[in-house]
Amino acid sequence: MNRRSLLRHLALALSSSGALALSGCGFGLRQPQRFAFKTVYLTLPANSALGVEMRRYLLGSGQLVILKDAADLFKADVVLDVFSELRERVVVGMNASGQVRDQQLRLRIKFRLRTPAGKNLIQDVEIFQQRDLSFTETAALSKEIEEASLYREMQTDIVQQIMRRLGAVREL
């Protein structure tokens, strides 16, 4: 066997052992969320940013019907109550002249999942996200844009966490 052929066989053996190791560890592509319910009623204002994103994720699953009319509340399998959505900006650093240098952006969402009859499937939960934001007066407009972007990112993270929790519900 020549050297080139030996290297090919060695490369093939190493790559196939890597694939074998990955399959043995439980690695698999992410599958679509499976829900134990088919219809959901959201107690979120239709025009809130969180409400729009939650509806988009729930409809994007392709498995759920979102009921919007309050009269349909008792027709839903589950009710997702969002009690609060609180956005905070806290000053965490100042320079010697008292000007703001560092801020912390915080987003808190409190929710629960229940049946229309009142049985709690997910108890009251508060999900909290925070991001640090440096601040300079000379770049106020760009920092405003960065702040909005950070809030959107935190909101998306929270919506994904809520979706994972909804997917973990197994019995109604």
Side-chain angles (χ1 to χ4, degrees), residues 68-172:
K68 299 174 184 171
D69 190 12
D72 293 336
L73 173 68
F74 289 101
K75 294 178 185 173
D77 294 333
V78 295
V79 178
L80 180 63
D81 293 316
V82 177
F83 300 117
S84 65
E85 175 186 358
L86 180 64
R87 294 173 185 242
E88 300 173 300
R89 183 185 316 135
V90 179
V91 174
V92 292
M94 300 176 111
N95 65 12
S97 63
Q99 294 175 322
V100 174
R101 287 290 164 222
D102 294 306
Q103 296 177 344
Q104 197 172 68
L105 305 176
R106 299 175 181 167
L107 180 60
R108 296 175 191 273
I109 306 290
K110 190 172 182 180
F111 74 97
R112 78 170 170 206
L113 184 71
R114 64 181 174 90
T115 63
K119 177 185 174 191
N120 282 339
L121 302 171
I122 298 176
Q123 298 294 327
D124 294 7
V125 176
E126 182 178 83
I127 299 178
F128 175 77
Q129 289 275 319
Q130 68 183 26
R131 301 286 190 274
D132 294 326
L133 176 68
S134 62
F135 186 79
T136 58
E137 292 81 17
T138 57
L141 183 59
S142 65
K143 289 298 176 178
E144 220 175 276
I145 294 168
E146 183 180 359
E147 178 182 336
S149 174
L150 288 172
Y151 273 125
R152 275 193 308 275
E153 177 188 315
M154 289 188 290
Q155 177 179 295
T156 299
D157 284 350
I158 287 175
V159 168
Q160 290 172 351
Q161 288 182 43
I162 292 172
M163 292 296 291
R164 284 191 294 275
R165 290 174 190 224
L166 294 177
V169 172
R170 292 291 162 227
E171 62 180 61
L172 298 182

